[in-house]
Amino acid sequence: GLCITGDVTPGSGGGSSNPVSYCTAGITSNFCQPNMSTSGVAVAGAASGFVLTANFVEGNKQGIMFYGVSGRIAAPWAVGNSSFLCVKPPVQRMGAQNSGGTNASCNGSLSVDWSAYVNSNPGALGNPFSAGEIVNAQAWFRDPPSAGTTNLTDGMEFTIAP
């Protein structure tokens, strides 16, 4: 028999990136618990098509998405903060952005097409990527009332497809 699991996208030509959520997202000052999600497939050399999104982020706050290629970690973020750094350094920070949404609400989000970022930044950490490599990603965002004045999502691990 045949058993297929994970994020399989018909017609992608690359199979699956098998994204896996791990680590612990912090609870923000407005009781948001942000999480990471993906869409598409992370294909080696692709110009676009694999999007990382941080959902349920504090509304109208600055944030960044970042990734690493050295594996997972679960390091406390700040004294009194419930977040954990889930991506083992070194990390590659992607462009700053505003989460949108409304102040004091959990309706903000951060999003980046990871494939497009890597394609347009040849000197980025780990670039060029090959099939089978594992990448870990996470989002950081401002949360001034919380301990450390910032917070983190959970981690997202994915595998580069051929």
Side-chain angles (χ1 to χ4, degrees), residues 29-84:
S29 58
N30 288 301
F31 305 103
C32 308
Q33 187 165 22
N35 66 39
M36 294 287 290
S37 66
T38 66
S39 64
V41 177
V43 177
S48 63
F50 183 67
V51 178
L52 295 168
T53 303
N55 306 289
F56 310 111
V57 172
E58 286 281 335
N60 198 28
K61 298 291 185 248
Q62 288 297 110
I64 59 169
M65 306 287 280
F66 61 96
Y67 73 89
V69 294
S70 298
R72 298 178 180 190
I73 192 171
W77 184 237
V79 175
N81 188 304
S82 60
S83 288
F84 285 86

Side-chain angles (χ1 to χ4, degrees), residues 3-144:
C3 177
I4 299 174
T5 61
D7 180 20
V8 179
T9 305
S12 67
S16 170
S17 296
N18 292 325
V20 175
S21 177
Y22 70 97
C23 203
T24 302
I27 303 296
T28 71
S29 58
N30 288 301
F31 305 103
C32 308
Q33 187 165 22
N35 66 39
M36 294 287 290
S37 66
T38 66
S39 64
V41 177
V43 177
S48 63
F50 183 67
V51 178
L52 295 168
T53 303
N55 306 289
F56 310 111
V57 172
E58 286 281 335
N60 198 28
K61 298 291 185 248
Q62 288 297 110
I64 59 169
M65 306 287 280
F66 61 96
Y67 73 89
V69 294
S70 298
R72 298 178 180 190
I73 192 171
W77 184 237
V79 175
N81 188 304
S82 60
S83 288
F84 285 86
L85 176 62
C86 304
V87 178
K88 188 174 183 179
V91 298
Q92 176 71 53
R93 295 176 182 149
M94 295 177 273
Q97 54 186 293
N98 187 285
S99 66
T102 309
N103 284 327
S105 296
C106 302
N107 61 357
S109 66
L110 304 168
S111 186
V112 66
D113 185 323
W114 184 85
S115 296
Y117 176 85
V118 170
N119 185 56
S120 62
N121 291 277
L125 181 69
N127 214 0
F129 287 90
S130 300
E133 288 186 77
I134 295 173
V135 180
N136 298 86
Q138 193 170 14
W140 167 97
F141 57 94
R142 299 249 180 234
D143 186 9

